[in-house]
Amino acid sequence: MPGSASDHSGQDFAHVAHDAKLKAEQAAEQVKNQGKEQLDSYRETAADEIEKVAQGVKAAAAELESQDQAGLSHYVGDMAQSMVKLADNLR
């Protein structure tokens, strides 16, 4: 029978299923965005901490320069510069 109650309930089900799919997609997008924001925050924190350590390593290299017999300060300075580049790349 055209226009019967079963046709109407089938349309209702399709509408409910479509709404559920849209809500699931929206929720997934929201979770994705929140995860990205959290990851960005972690990367920024890691970059800041690496940069702090690099500053300490630079200070150690400067301290070594005055007493450097084997050229160690040069290597320590290079290591500090590499750490700064790593921090920059994380950002």
Side-chain angles (χ1 to χ4, degrees):
M1 290 197 284
S4 70
S6 64
D7 288 341
H8 183 65
S9 64
Q11 290 173 348
D12 287 346
F13 177 76
H15 181 70
V16 169
H18 179 71
D19 286 350
K21 180 181 176 188
L22 287 177
K23 287 181 181 179
E25 289 172 351
Q26 290 170 347
E29 187 66 27
Q30 184 178 9
V31 168
K32 177 182 165 186
N33 290 337
Q34 288 173 345
K36 184 182 180 319
E37 289 172 12
Q38 190 68 38
L39 179 61
D40 289 346
S41 174
Y42 288 151
R43 284 193 333 200
E44 189 63 34
T45 299
D48 290 345
E49 292 303 314
I50 291 169
E51 200 161 24
K52 287 177 189 175
V53 172
Q55 294 304 319
V57 172
K58 283 182 181 180
E63 186 75 25
L64 282 172
E65 269 186 51
S66 63
Q67 334 163 10
D68 199 358
Q69 302 290 329
L72 186 60
S73 66
H74 174 72
Y75 294 111
V76 174
D78 286 349
M79 183 174 66
Q81 195 57 35
S82 294
M83 292 172 79
V84 169
K85 286 180 185 178
L86 173 61
D88 288 343
N89 287 339
L90 283 172
R91 293 187 175 111

